C-alpha cells in the first residue's frame, strides 16, 4: 500500500511566503513519520493516514489562525497501482474496517468524527471522493455521502463535490473517515479537496 | 452527458480581489456558452469542453499576465452518473474520437496540441486523470501518460500526478486532449489540476 498527498497552501496576501514558512512549523511533530518533499507547485507527504491527515489539518489550521484569507488544495491517494508498496503507509484501521458492512462502517465513521479533537479554527472545505478500478464505484460514493450528511460537518452538495463546514478537527476527521472507510481496503481511492478560511466572500 | 468544472483562482497578493475581478473579464466571451455559478470556494462552469477549457485557460492567463504569483485549482468532470444529462454539454469530438484505437487517439491528441494557439503566457501545471467505473482503468491512464510524454508540454512525473510546462495554449490543449481522448466516451472521467505562474520558487 502507498498512501500520500500532494499539498499546496495558498495565502491570499503579499506576505504569502511568510505565512507559508510559519505554517510549516506545524509539520515538525510529523516529520519523523512522514516522507516530505517540496517543489514549486506542491509538497508530497507519504505515510499512514493518522499522521498524514493530522499533519495536513495542523498545517492548514496554523495558516488559518492568521487573519488573511488562505486556501489549501490537497490530492490524497491510497493504493495507486502505479506506486510502490511502502511499509510506512501500513494502516491497521484501513485493513480492519473494511471487512465490515456499509452500515457498520458508516457508524464507525460518525463516531470517529464525534470524538475528533477541537482545534479551535473554523474552516470550509469541499472535496470529491474517487473510488477507482471497480465497476460499481458509485455504490461506495453514495454510501459515503450518506455518512457525510450525518457527520455533523455537512454543509451542502455541489456539482462534483461535497461541502463541509466546522472546526478543523471535525472537518478533517470527516475527510479521513471518507478516505479510509469507503472503497475497498486494497483498492485505489483518491480525494481532491479544497479548504478555505477567512474568506471575504463570507464576511 | 454532463461536463463541467469547479474552478478556484488564488492570487498570492493582498490585492487578490482586484486580480480575480480583472481576470473574470476574460470569461465574457464564454458566458453565453457556459452556465456559471459562484460561491465562496469555487466557480461552477458547465458546458461543452471547447468553450469550457478555453474559458479556464483564458481566466488563468489573464491573472498570470499580472506580476503576482497566482495559482488555480480545477476539478473537471464528464459523465458523472450522479449528474443530469445536459444538452449544452454535447461534445461531438468526444463521441467521434473514442471509437478509435489507443494509438490513433494518441496521434490525434498530439496533433491538437501542436495546433494549439500561442497565448503568450508561460505556465506550470500538474494534474491527475481519473477514469472511473471500469476494472482496467490503469490501461487508459498509462495510454494517456504516453501521449503526455510526447506532447511537447511534459515536464516530469510526480507521485499521483504529471507535471506540464509551457505556453498556456499548448498546456491547456494537452489537458483537454487528456480529458477527452482517454477513458470511455460515455464513461465517468475526472481531472484534478493545479496551475501556477510567477512562482518565486522558480526565480
Amino acid at each position: 500500500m502507498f498512501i500520500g498527498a500532494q499539498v499546496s497552501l495558498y495565502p491570499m496576501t503579499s506576505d504569502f511566503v511568510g505565512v507559508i514558512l510559519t505554517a510549516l512549523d506545524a509539520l515538525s511533530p510529523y516529520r519523523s513519520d512522514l516522507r516530505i518533499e517540496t517543489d514549486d507547485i506542491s509538497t508530497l507527504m507519504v505515510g499512514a493516514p493518522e499522521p498524514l491527515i493530522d499533519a495536513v489539518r495542523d498545517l492548514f489550521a496554523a495558516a488559518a489562525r492568521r487573519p488573511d484569507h488562505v486556501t489549501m488544495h490537497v490530492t490524497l491517494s491510497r493504493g495507486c497501482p502505479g506506486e510502490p508498496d511502502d511499509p510506512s503507509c501500513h494502516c491497521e484501521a484501513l485493513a480492519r474496517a473494511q471487512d465490515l458492512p456499509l452500515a457498520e462502517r458508516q457508524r464507525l465513521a460518525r463516531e470517529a468524527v464525534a470524538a475528533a479533537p477541537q482545534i479551535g479554527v473554523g474552516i470550509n472545505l469541499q472535496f470529491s471522493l474517487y473510488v477507482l478500478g471497480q465497476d460499481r464505484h458509485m455504490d461506495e460514493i453514495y454510501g459515503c455521502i450518506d455518512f457525510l450528511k450525518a457527520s455533523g460537518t455537512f454543509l451542502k452538495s455541489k456539482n462534483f463535490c461535497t461541502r463541509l463546514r466546522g472546526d478543523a478537527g471535525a472537518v478533517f476527521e470527516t475527510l479521513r473517515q471518507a478516505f479510509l472507510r469507503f472503497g475497498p481496503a486494497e483498492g485505489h481511492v483518491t480525494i481532491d479537496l479544497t479548504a478555505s478560511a477567512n474568506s471575504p466572500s463570507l464576511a
Side-chain angles (χ1 to χ4, degrees), chain A:
Chain A
M1 178 65 76
F2 189 90
I3 302 178
Q6 293 283 3
V7 182
S8 305
L9 192 64
Y10 304 126
M12 253 60 73
T13 164
S14 301
D15 182 31
F16 65 96
V17 174
V19 175
I20 291 173
L21 293 177
T22 303
L24 283 175
D25 287 343
L27 295 185
S28 300
Y30 304 105
R31 288 189 183 272
S32 56
D33 290 323
L34 300 173
R35 176 157 67 88
I36 299 180
E37 296 167 12
T38 295
D39 73 8
D40 59 293
I41 290 198
S42 59
T43 293
L44 173 71
M45 300 185 193
V46 176
E50 292 78 8
L52 179 66
I53 308 281
D54 285 356
V56 169
R57 175 198 66 201
D58 289 358
L59 175 72
F60 188 66
R65 279 198 185 91
R66 312 254 305 217
D68 302 305
H69 178 31
V70 61
T71 66
M72 178 177 69
H73 174 245
V74 181
T75 298
L76 269 169
S77 174
R78 65 171 170 92
C80 177
E83 307 282 358
D85 193 46
D86 189 319
S88 77
C89 300
H90 178 74
C91 175
E92 198 61 45
L94 188 60
R96 218 170 35 223
Q98 302 262 342
D99 296 331
L100 303 170
L102 181 62
E104 181 68 3
R105 288 184 276 138
Q106 289 170 327
R107 186 183 64 78
L108 289 169
R110 288 195 305 273
E111 288 179 2
V113 175
Q118 181 90 4
I119 302 294
V121 178
I123 67 168
N124 276 274
L125 187 147
Q126 71 188 29
F127 77 106
S128 308
L129 175 73
Y130 302 122
V131 178
L132 295 132
Q134 62 172 44
D135 287 337
R136 299 185 55 78
H137 71 294
M138 293 304 287
D139 291 356
E140 288 289 315
I141 304 286
Y142 291 134
C144 180
I145 291 172
D146 285 343
F147 149 64
L148 295 173
K149 288 184 174 170
S151 67
T153 61
F154 179 82
L155 179 67
K156 63 173 177 171
S157 296
K158 290 173 65 169
N159 295 97
F160 319 132
C161 56
T162 298
R163 279 285 300 264
L164 306 180
R165 176 174 289 176
D167 182 80
V171 168
F172 278 99
E173 192 58 51
T174 304
L175 194 82
R176 172 159 40 209
Q177 297 300 315
F179 185 53
L180 294 182
R181 298 206 197 264
F182 302 90
E186 296 300 316
H188 184 190
V189 173
T190 70
I191 278 180
D192 169 9
L193 84 91
T194 300
S196 175
N198 309 323
S199 168
S201 303
L202 291 176

